[in-house]
Amino acid sequence: MTSALKVQFLTSPAIRRAPAVPGAGKDGRLRQARFARSKGRLMIRAVVNSDQNKAAMETTVTKSSESKDVNGSSLLVASSSSSNKEEGVFDVRAVITVRKKMKEKLTEKIEDQWELFVNGIGKGILIQLISEEIDPVTNSGKSVESAVRGWMPKPSNSSHPNIVEYGANFTVPSDFGKPGAVLITNLHGKEFYLAEIVVHGFDGGPMFFPANTWIHSRNDNPESRIIFRNQAYLPSQTPDGIKDLRREDLLSIRGNGKGERKPHDRIYDYAPYNDLGNPDKDEELARPVLGSEERPYPRRCRTGRPPTKTKPLCESRIEKPHPVYVPRDETFEEIKQNTFSAGRLKALLHNLIPSIAATLSSSDIPFTCFSDIDKLYNSGFLLKEDDQAVVQNPFVVPLMRQVLSVSERLLKYDTPAIIKMDRFAWLRDNEFARQTLAGVNPVNIEILKEFPILSKLDPAVYGPPESAITKELIEEELHGMSIEQAIEEKRLFILDYHDMLLPFIYKINSLPDRKSYASRTVFFYNKASMLRPIAIELSLPPTPSSPRNKHVYSHGHDATTHWIWKLAKAHVCSNDAGIHQLVNHWLRTHACMEPYIIAAHRHLSSMHPIFMLLHPHMRYTLEINALARQSLINGGGIIEASFFPGKYAMELSAAAYKSMWRFDMEALPADLIRRGMAVEDPSMPCGVKLVIEDYPYASDGLLIWSAIKEWVESYVEHFYSEPKSITSDVELQAWWSDVKNKGHHDKRNEPWWPQLNTKEDLSGIVTTIIWIASGQHAAINFGQYPFGGYVPNRPTLMRKLILQENEPDYEKFMVNPQRTFLSSLPTQLQATKVMAVQDTLSTHSPDEEYLGQVNQLHSHWINDPEVLKIFNKFSAKLEEVENVINKRNKDVRLKARCGAGIPPYELLVPSSGPGVTGRGIPNSISI
């Protein structure tokens, strides 16, 4: 045996010789997997005995036959020979699928050729098959090992040219049983991406080991990687031969909570949001820790970076372009990376527009007329040669020239859907109201249950609790109906941001060029089935001279009142945009989803049926959240620069988590009932009846919710048929405990957490999580540019309060109300920056995976015909849902989604193509 093949992993002082197995190679020996405990932790050691014959390492196929894989391509597959059967052994062959980079540098291509050569001669990858059967000698799974060697004639999946396949041959004893796991050891100096392993030659056809994982180099981590077969097992059903491997894999993923994480790690642990600020760089960039009794918050994935020098409780930051750690398999795949990079480039190009304007004018400037905004879509911003000479920044000039040399159209925005068919729609009250039901933030409108409207804030601090909206004012708009009758008939609704925002208004308004109110907006649902706003209250903190600092506005009938009403609506939209982004989008989907994902990896084995069910809904979320902490929600980041709360943005998000977030209310039916937008009705499919039938988010959402619920319930019923099977599932119970006690640590003692004792409990919990990751996120994310891309429709901040008659600039407003309105909106720099971000966040990647669909490369996700049958039923149900939504969008009776110039409501249509389509439900929060 050559020295290169005398391999021992995690070398031990004493190595037992593997016991002889009759007929296995010339000396009758097989490599065995030996397990030993070290420092209280199970370690894996793959041992090669020094006196083994080289022929045992280089087992060959005695007879092969050609078979077809799932894609119809030919594979050379090992089959048993009669002579070997008589000797008590047979031959099998593993096909190892490795995915290479799509775009490679020259040096990477040279490295790949060397890697191909090394793998081809059997010196690059070692593979062990671990049986589900126990070896009585080692008391662990039976094992055979081989080196990966040789190349397949061609990739079996020809549609993916970056796929490379290798073979590994094994001689297996006849009593080996079925392989349940594979150990992979990477002898190369760098990692590689393992897509799948298929083992041919066992009875019952090929066996699939889906991996879709990065295999670390032995130089980075000497432990072998464990890949399990696509067979789902509850912990109590785990075959004896792979029980230890199941436990060991979970231990390795969980880590010990110490040290700084390295890029190759795949360790999932928790940390508070203590990395948003950068006090070492600038005291102005210091931000409070989120995740404490004072500021509760969900936990993020731990990176273990050292603390900052000036604030020991804060973690030091890694700035772009260096990546923030996430477990290795959570990072974007190459297609997604390219799309996101292109999106960031697009944002950079868009930022050139206002940057150039600001440079030429020496200041950031407001829009002076609506044609300034229209230019962003119609003609774009073109640079003249003499303009370029004015810009002195040596880094900007080459970039501008590069842009112009490619195409002047790069400085042009797509026309947002909200003005594409009707450029004046945003001015109308009915459109303002329609967007509370069918816009990008349709989750805050609620029924008005009682009058007068009262605040729950401390009156000693925030003044009298009664709203300034009077009964008389409302009844003027009710066409003869009393306010009591309107409430009884469920015709009055409210968008109420008063209590959430008022504690922050003084601080926000102390920031330069930020002026906000805490708003309340009352709507009336008339007998024509139309929702319209009838009163807006804008509140400021009380002062000694104005203890009741509240202003009420209505649409009125004269020109002055109309313009003031437009400004009041703009302030409401600014409140709505900030709450949407920081609470409903970031907190309730992105941030709250992260603990479910971390806990699932820490406590649910990859062969656990609930892990298999949740896995598609966890894709990319940790990576996009890490990128958000680095560039979007960080101190001085894009959200602070572009939305009204400024540096207090994440504190506002934490306050919302403290006051209103609870898991049991994140289920769609429960949320609708909480807001009074639905009532319980057992005769309805989801047990609820909508108060406003023409509520597109809710009516379409309930179709998606129902389909997910049916799929999950059938899946759970399939695996948990035995009594007490839920309570006896140690992994499942540990997962849910981790979610509550660690992932949402600050709310661990709340009484509303669902129990996990029955199949109904489990189905409800999992349905909610899948809904949040798919339908809920899609509904509030992918409409950001279609609705927010036109600044007057949805300003993300306001720079001026509404002028009062006794103020000096009131006369300027009377002379030119349009200029006053536009100067109150975000500046050109602020507006174009947030438009670029919204455009990026609204974009579907080409590799997006949608609800009810399975990526071809992940087609072997589970070996269970009954589950696949249930899944196909779920997919068919979603196709029906899509047809129903398409019909609804053509129903003229549904005025919230159909009418002259009204864009159809497609945010909950399940399928989509790439780009900013305003439709499609990805499986996971991936952008």
PDB file of all heavy atoms in Angstrom, residues 63-91:
ATOM      1  N   LYS A  63     -18.767  -6.713 -12.761  1.00  0.00           N
ATOM      2  CA  LYS A  63     -19.726  -6.767 -13.860  1.00  0.00           C
ATOM      3  C   LYS A  63     -20.553  -5.503 -13.796  1.00  0.00           C
ATOM      4  O   LYS A  63     -20.951  -5.065 -12.732  1.00  0.00           O
ATOM      5  CB  LYS A  63     -20.629  -7.999 -13.720  1.00  0.00           C
ATOM      6  CG  LYS A  63     -21.664  -8.128 -14.843  1.00  0.00           C
ATOM      7  CD  LYS A  63     -22.501  -9.363 -14.620  1.00  0.00           C
ATOM      8  CE  LYS A  63     -23.570  -9.494 -15.704  1.00  0.00           C
ATOM      9  NZ  LYS A  63     -24.433 -10.652 -15.492  1.00  0.00           N
ATOM     10  N   SER A  64     -20.789  -4.874 -14.908  1.00  0.00           N
ATOM     11  CA  SER A  64     -21.603  -3.660 -14.897  1.00  0.00           C
ATOM     12  C   SER A  64     -22.698  -3.777 -15.927  1.00  0.00           C
ATOM     13  O   SER A  64     -22.587  -4.497 -16.903  1.00  0.00           O
ATOM     14  CB  SER A  64     -20.742  -2.421 -15.185  1.00  0.00           C
ATOM     15  OG  SER A  64     -20.189  -2.521 -16.463  1.00  0.00           O
ATOM     16  N   SER A  65     -23.762  -3.069 -15.654  1.00  0.00           N
ATOM     17  CA  SER A  65     -24.866  -3.023 -16.600  1.00  0.00           C
ATOM     18  C   SER A  65     -25.282  -1.586 -16.770  1.00  0.00           C
ATOM     19  O   SER A  65     -25.073  -0.769 -15.899  1.00  0.00           O
ATOM     20  CB  SER A  65     -26.049  -3.852 -16.085  1.00  0.00           C
ATOM     21  OG  SER A  65     -26.517  -3.321 -14.855  1.00  0.00           O
ATOM     22  N   GLU A  66     -25.855  -1.290 -17.900  1.00  0.00           N
ATOM     23  CA  GLU A  66     -26.251   0.084 -18.168  1.00  0.00           C
ATOM     24  C   GLU A  66     -27.689   0.279 -17.722  1.00  0.00           C
ATOM     25  O   GLU A  66     -28.565  -0.520 -18.002  1.00  0.00           O
ATOM     26  CB  GLU A  66     -26.125   0.382 -19.661  1.00  0.00           C
ATOM     27  CG  GLU A  66     -26.354   1.850 -19.982  1.00  0.00           C
ATOM     28  CD  GLU A  66     -26.118   2.129 -21.433  1.00  0.00           C
ATOM     29  OE1 GLU A  66     -26.733   1.444 -22.270  1.00  0.00           O
ATOM     30  OE2 GLU A  66     -25.338   3.028 -21.741  1.00  0.00           O
ATOM     31  N   SER A  67     -27.934   1.356 -16.952  1.00  0.00           N
ATOM     32  CA  SER A  67     -29.292   1.697 -16.539  1.00  0.00           C
ATOM     33  C   SER A  67     -29.492   3.176 -16.754  1.00  0.00           C
ATOM     34  O   SER A  67     -28.564   3.912 -17.048  1.00  0.00           O
ATOM     35  CB  SER A  67     -29.515   1.342 -15.071  1.00  0.00           C
ATOM     36  OG  SER A  67     -28.713   2.153 -14.246  1.00  0.00           O
ATOM     37  N   LYS A  68     -30.682   3.590 -16.621  1.00  0.00           N
ATOM     38  CA  LYS A  68     -31.020   4.999 -16.835  1.00  0.00           C
ATOM     39  C   LYS A  68     -31.268   5.674 -15.495  1.00  0.00           C
ATOM     40  O   LYS A  68     -31.906   5.096 -14.618  1.00  0.00           O
ATOM     41  CB  LYS A  68     -32.288   5.129 -17.699  1.00  0.00           C
ATOM     42  CG  LYS A  68     -32.162   4.464 -19.058  1.00  0.00           C
ATOM     43  CD  LYS A  68     -31.250   5.251 -19.987  1.00  0.00           C
ATOM     44  CE  LYS A  68     -31.238   4.624 -21.376  1.00  0.00           C
ATOM     45  NZ  LYS A  68     -30.352   5.356 -22.287  1.00  0.00           N
ATOM     46  N   ASP A  69     -30.764   6.897 -15.369  1.00  0.00           N
ATOM     47  CA  ASP A  69     -31.074   7.651 -14.161  1.00  0.00           C
ATOM     48  C   ASP A  69     -32.394   8.382 -14.367  1.00  0.00           C
ATOM     49  O   ASP A  69     -33.069   8.204 -15.367  1.00  0.00           O
ATOM     50  CB  ASP A  69     -29.940   8.634 -13.820  1.00  0.00           C
ATOM     51  CG  ASP A  69     -29.939   9.864 -14.696  1.00  0.00           C
ATOM     52  OD1 ASP A  69     -30.576   9.818 -15.761  1.00  0.00           O
ATOM     53  OD2 ASP A  69     -29.306  10.847 -14.287  1.00  0.00           O
ATOM     54  N   VAL A  70     -32.786   9.203 -13.394  1.00  0.00           N
ATOM     55  CA  VAL A  70     -34.090   9.853 -13.455  1.00  0.00           C
ATOM     56  C   VAL A  70     -34.205  10.795 -14.636  1.00  0.00           C
ATOM     57  O   VAL A  70     -35.306  11.130 -15.061  1.00  0.00           O
ATOM     58  CB  VAL A  70     -34.362  10.638 -12.148  1.00  0.00           C
ATOM     59  CG1 VAL A  70     -34.583   9.690 -11.009  1.00  0.00           C
ATOM     60  CG2 VAL A  70     -33.240  11.603 -11.846  1.00  0.00           C
ATOM     61  N   ASN A  71     -33.102  11.241 -15.177  1.00  0.00           N
ATOM     62  CA  ASN A  71     -33.129  12.153 -16.310  1.00  0.00           C
ATOM     63  C   ASN A  71     -33.012  11.434 -17.649  1.00  0.00           C
ATOM     64  O   ASN A  71     -32.932  12.050 -18.689  1.00  0.00           O
ATOM     65  CB  ASN A  71     -32.005  13.195 -16.185  1.00  0.00           C
ATOM     66  CG  ASN A  71     -32.143  14.000 -14.924  1.00  0.00           C
ATOM     67  OD1 ASN A  71     -33.199  14.552 -14.666  1.00  0.00           O
ATOM     68  ND2 ASN A  71     -31.086  14.054 -14.131  1.00  0.00           N
ATOM     69  N   GLY A  72     -32.945  10.112 -17.583  1.00  0.00           N
ATOM     70  CA  GLY A  72     -32.882   9.361 -18.819  1.00  0.00           C
ATOM     71  C   GLY A  72     -31.499   9.150 -19.369  1.00  0.00           C
ATOM     72  O   GLY A  72     -31.324   8.576 -20.426  1.00  0.00           O
ATOM     73  N   SER A  73     -30.463   9.608 -18.672  1.00  0.00           N
ATOM     74  CA  SER A  73     -29.100   9.458 -19.167  1.00  0.00           C
ATOM     75  C   SER A  73     -28.548   8.105 -18.759  1.00  0.00           C
ATOM     76  O   SER A  73     -28.959   7.497 -17.776  1.00  0.00           O
ATOM     77  CB  SER A  73     -28.214  10.570 -18.596  1.00  0.00           C
ATOM     78  OG  SER A  73     -28.698  11.819 -18.998  1.00  0.00           O
ATOM     79  N   SER A  74     -27.596   7.629 -19.515  1.00  0.00           N
ATOM     80  CA  SER A  74     -26.989   6.342 -19.227  1.00  0.00           C
ATOM     81  C   SER A  74     -26.003   6.458 -18.080  1.00  0.00           C
ATOM     82  O   SER A  74     -25.268   7.419 -17.966  1.00  0.00           O
ATOM     83  CB  SER A  74     -26.264   5.810 -20.468  1.00  0.00           C
ATOM     84  OG  SER A  74     -27.190   5.616 -21.512  1.00  0.00           O
ATOM     85  N   LEU A  75     -26.008   5.449 -17.219  1.00  0.00           N
ATOM     86  CA  LEU A  75     -25.027   5.369 -16.144  1.00  0.00           C
ATOM     87  C   LEU A  75     -24.451   3.966 -16.135  1.00  0.00           C
ATOM     88  O   LEU A  75     -25.165   2.985 -16.347  1.00  0.00           O
ATOM     89  CB  LEU A  75     -25.690   5.639 -14.780  1.00  0.00           C
ATOM     90  CG  LEU A  75     -26.191   7.053 -14.497  1.00  0.00           C
ATOM     91  CD1 LEU A  75     -26.913   7.056 -13.166  1.00  0.00           C
ATOM     92  CD2 LEU A  75     -25.026   8.010 -14.456  1.00  0.00           C
ATOM     93  N   LEU A  76     -23.155   3.856 -15.875  1.00  0.00           N
ATOM     94  CA  LEU A  76     -22.561   2.549 -15.653  1.00  0.00           C
ATOM     95  C   LEU A  76     -22.804   2.191 -14.194  1.00  0.00           C
ATOM     96  O   LEU A  76     -22.336   2.862 -13.300  1.00  0.00           O
ATOM     97  CB  LEU A  76     -21.070   2.588 -15.970  1.00  0.00           C
ATOM     98  CG  LEU A  76     -20.730   2.711 -17.457  1.00  0.00           C
ATOM     99  CD1 LEU A  76     -19.227   2.835 -17.615  1.00  0.00           C
ATOM    100  CD2 LEU A  76     -21.261   1.522 -18.235  1.00  0.00           C
ATOM    101  N   VAL A  77     -23.566   1.143 -13.978  1.00  0.00           N
ATOM    102  CA  VAL A  77     -24.000   0.798 -12.635  1.00  0.00           C
ATOM    103  C   VAL A  77     -23.493  -0.593 -12.281  1.00  0.00           C
ATOM    104  O   VAL A  77     -23.639  -1.534 -13.050  1.00  0.00           O
ATOM    105  CB  VAL A  77     -25.549   0.817 -12.542  1.00  0.00           C
ATOM    106  CG1 VAL A  77     -25.989   0.464 -11.149  1.00  0.00           C
ATOM    107  CG2 VAL A  77     -26.080   2.176 -12.942  1.00  0.00           C
ATOM    108  N   ALA A  78     -22.903  -0.680 -11.110  1.00  0.00           N
ATOM    109  CA  ALA A  78     -22.409  -1.973 -10.665  1.00  0.00           C
ATOM    110  C   ALA A  78     -23.564  -2.911 -10.375  1.00  0.00           C
ATOM    111  O   ALA A  78     -24.555  -2.523  -9.805  1.00  0.00           O
ATOM    112  CB  ALA A  78     -21.553  -1.786  -9.418  1.00  0.00           C
ATOM    113  N   SER A  79     -23.428  -4.152 -10.763  1.00  0.00           N
ATOM    114  CA  SER A  79     -24.452  -5.146 -10.433  1.00  0.00           C
ATOM    115  C   SER A  79     -23.754  -6.365  -9.853  1.00  0.00           C
ATOM    116  O   SER A  79     -22.565  -6.576 -10.028  1.00  0.00           O
ATOM    117  CB  SER A  79     -25.242  -5.524 -11.689  1.00  0.00           C
ATOM    118  OG  SER A  79     -24.381  -6.114 -12.629  1.00  0.00           O
ATOM    119  N   SER A  80     -24.510  -7.173  -9.167  1.00  0.00           N
ATOM    120  CA  SER A  80     -23.928  -8.321  -8.494  1.00  0.00           C
ATOM    121  C   SER A  80     -23.558  -9.401  -9.499  1.00  0.00           C
ATOM    122  O   SER A  80     -24.247  -9.638 -10.476  1.00  0.00           O
ATOM    123  CB  SER A  80     -24.936  -8.891  -7.495  1.00  0.00           C
ATOM    124  OG  SER A  80     -25.333  -7.898  -6.591  1.00  0.00           O
ATOM    125  N   SER A  81     -22.454 -10.054  -9.260  1.00  0.00           N
ATOM    126  CA  SER A  81     -22.068 -11.191 -10.093  1.00  0.00           C
ATOM    127  C   SER A  81     -22.334 -12.472  -9.329  1.00  0.00           C
ATOM    128  O   SER A  81     -22.261 -12.517  -8.116  1.00  0.00           O
ATOM    129  CB  SER A  81     -20.589 -11.096 -10.457  1.00  0.00           C
ATOM    130  OG  SER A  81     -19.797 -11.245  -9.297  1.00  0.00           O
ATOM    131  N   SER A  82     -22.669 -13.493 -10.042  1.00  0.00           N
ATOM    132  CA  SER A  82     -23.003 -14.754  -9.382  1.00  0.00           C
ATOM    133  C   SER A  82     -21.819 -15.289  -8.581  1.00  0.00           C
ATOM    134  O   SER A  82     -21.989 -15.835  -7.502  1.00  0.00           O
ATOM    135  CB  SER A  82     -23.460 -15.781 -10.428  1.00  0.00           C
ATOM    136  OG  SER A  82     -22.434 -15.937 -11.411  1.00  0.00           O
ATOM    137  N   SER A  83     -20.602 -15.108  -9.111  1.00  0.00           N
ATOM    138  CA  SER A  83     -19.450 -15.622  -8.391  1.00  0.00           C
ATOM    139  C   SER A  83     -19.273 -14.908  -7.066  1.00  0.00           C
ATOM    140  O   SER A  83     -18.951 -15.523  -6.052  1.00  0.00           O
ATOM    141  CB  SER A  83     -18.192 -15.468  -9.254  1.00  0.00           C
ATOM    142  OG  SER A  83     -17.994 -14.086  -9.559  1.00  0.00           O
ATOM    143  N   ASN A  84     -19.488 -13.598  -7.078  1.00  0.00           N
ATOM    144  CA  ASN A  84     -19.349 -12.850  -5.832  1.00  0.00           C
ATOM    145  C   ASN A  84     -20.437 -13.214  -4.840  1.00  0.00           C
ATOM    146  O   ASN A  84     -20.221 -13.217  -3.637  1.00  0.00           O
ATOM    147  CB  ASN A  84     -19.365 -11.353  -6.102  1.00  0.00           C
ATOM    148  CG  ASN A  84     -17.983 -10.847  -6.482  1.00  0.00           C
ATOM    149  OD1 ASN A  84     -17.029 -11.607  -6.441  1.00  0.00           O
ATOM    150  ND2 ASN A  84     -17.901  -9.581  -6.852  1.00  0.00           N
ATOM    151  N   LYS A  85     -21.643 -13.448  -5.346  1.00  0.00           N
ATOM    152  CA  LYS A  85     -22.713 -13.844  -4.437  1.00  0.00           C
ATOM    153  C   LYS A  85     -22.355 -15.129  -3.718  1.00  0.00           C
ATOM    154  O   LYS A  85     -22.623 -15.299  -2.529  1.00  0.00           O
ATOM    155  CB  LYS A  85     -24.021 -14.028  -5.214  1.00  0.00           C
ATOM    156  CG  LYS A  85     -24.685 -12.703  -5.586  1.00  0.00           C
ATOM    157  CD  LYS A  85     -25.996 -12.960  -6.297  1.00  0.00           C
ATOM    158  CE  LYS A  85     -26.678 -11.638  -6.650  1.00  0.00           C
ATOM    159  NZ  LYS A  85     -27.929 -11.870  -7.380  1.00  0.00           N
ATOM    160  N   GLU A  86     -21.748 -16.047  -4.465  1.00  0.00           N
ATOM    161  CA  GLU A  86     -21.352 -17.305  -3.840  1.00  0.00           C
ATOM    162  C   GLU A  86     -20.293 -17.072  -2.768  1.00  0.00           C
ATOM    163  O   GLU A  86     -20.218 -17.801  -1.779  1.00  0.00           O
ATOM    164  CB  GLU A  86     -20.807 -18.250  -4.925  1.00  0.00           C
ATOM    165  CG  GLU A  86     -21.880 -18.696  -5.912  1.00  0.00           C
ATOM    166  CD  GLU A  86     -21.283 -19.447  -7.090  1.00  0.00           C
ATOM    167  OE1 GLU A  86     -20.047 -19.628  -7.091  1.00  0.00           O
ATOM    168  OE2 GLU A  86     -22.033 -19.829  -7.985  1.00  0.00           O
ATOM    169  N   GLU A  87     -19.471 -16.024  -2.943  1.00  0.00           N
ATOM    170  CA  GLU A  87     -18.435 -15.716  -1.966  1.00  0.00           C
ATOM    171  C   GLU A  87     -18.967 -14.892  -0.799  1.00  0.00           C
ATOM    172  O   GLU A  87     -18.230 -14.554   0.124  1.00  0.00           O
ATOM    173  CB  GLU A  87     -17.293 -14.947  -2.641  1.00  0.00           C
ATOM    174  CG  GLU A  87     -16.573 -15.741  -3.719  1.00  0.00           C
ATOM    175  CD  GLU A  87     -15.564 -14.885  -4.446  1.00  0.00           C
ATOM    176  OE1 GLU A  87     -15.396 -13.716  -4.048  1.00  0.00           O
ATOM    177  OE2 GLU A  87     -14.951 -15.384  -5.407  1.00  0.00           O
ATOM    178  N   GLY A  88     -20.258 -14.497  -0.831  1.00  0.00           N
ATOM    179  CA  GLY A  88     -20.840 -13.722   0.258  1.00  0.00           C
ATOM    180  C   GLY A  88     -20.642 -12.240   0.119  1.00  0.00           C
ATOM    181  O   GLY A  88     -20.821 -11.496   1.090  1.00  0.00           O
ATOM    182  N   VAL A  89     -20.283 -11.764  -1.073  1.00  0.00           N
ATOM    183  CA  VAL A  89     -20.132 -10.327  -1.300  1.00  0.00           C
ATOM    184  C   VAL A  89     -20.756  -9.978  -2.642  1.00  0.00           C
ATOM    185  O   VAL A  89     -21.011 -10.847  -3.468  1.00  0.00           O
ATOM    186  CB  VAL A  89     -18.648  -9.902  -1.300  1.00  0.00           C
ATOM    187  CG1 VAL A  89     -18.010 -10.127   0.059  1.00  0.00           C
ATOM    188  CG2 VAL A  89     -17.874 -10.621  -2.391  1.00  0.00           C
ATOM    189  N   PHE A  90     -21.006  -8.702  -2.840  1.00  0.00           N
ATOM    190  CA  PHE A  90     -21.451  -8.228  -4.154  1.00  0.00           C
ATOM    191  C   PHE A  90     -20.898  -6.823  -4.350  1.00  0.00           C
ATOM    192  O   PHE A  90     -20.435  -6.173  -3.412  1.00  0.00           O
ATOM    193  CB  PHE A  90     -22.977  -8.263  -4.298  1.00  0.00           C
ATOM    194  CG  PHE A  90     -23.723  -7.399  -3.328  1.00  0.00           C
ATOM    195  CD1 PHE A  90     -24.185  -6.140  -3.698  1.00  0.00           C
ATOM    196  CD2 PHE A  90     -23.997  -7.844  -2.040  1.00  0.00           C
ATOM    197  CE1 PHE A  90     -24.884  -5.344  -2.818  1.00  0.00           C
ATOM    198  CE2 PHE A  90     -24.701  -7.054  -1.149  1.00  0.00           C
ATOM    199  CZ  PHE A  90     -25.144  -5.801  -1.527  1.00  0.00           C
ATOM    200  N   ASP A  91     -20.947  -6.358  -5.590  1.00  0.00           N
ATOM    201  CA  ASP A  91     -20.354  -5.080  -5.941  1.00  0.00           C
ATOM    202  C   ASP A  91     -21.434  -4.015  -6.106  1.00  0.00           C
ATOM    203  O   ASP A  91     -22.492  -4.267  -6.692  1.00  0.00           O
ATOM    204  CB  ASP A  91     -19.569  -5.199  -7.250  1.00  0.00           C
ATOM    205  CG  ASP A  91     -18.424  -6.186  -7.115  1.00  0.00           C
ATOM    206  OD1 ASP A  91     -17.767  -6.154  -6.064  1.00  0.00           O
ATOM    207  OD2 ASP A  91     -18.209  -6.976  -8.057  1.00  0.00           O
TER     208      ASP A  91
END
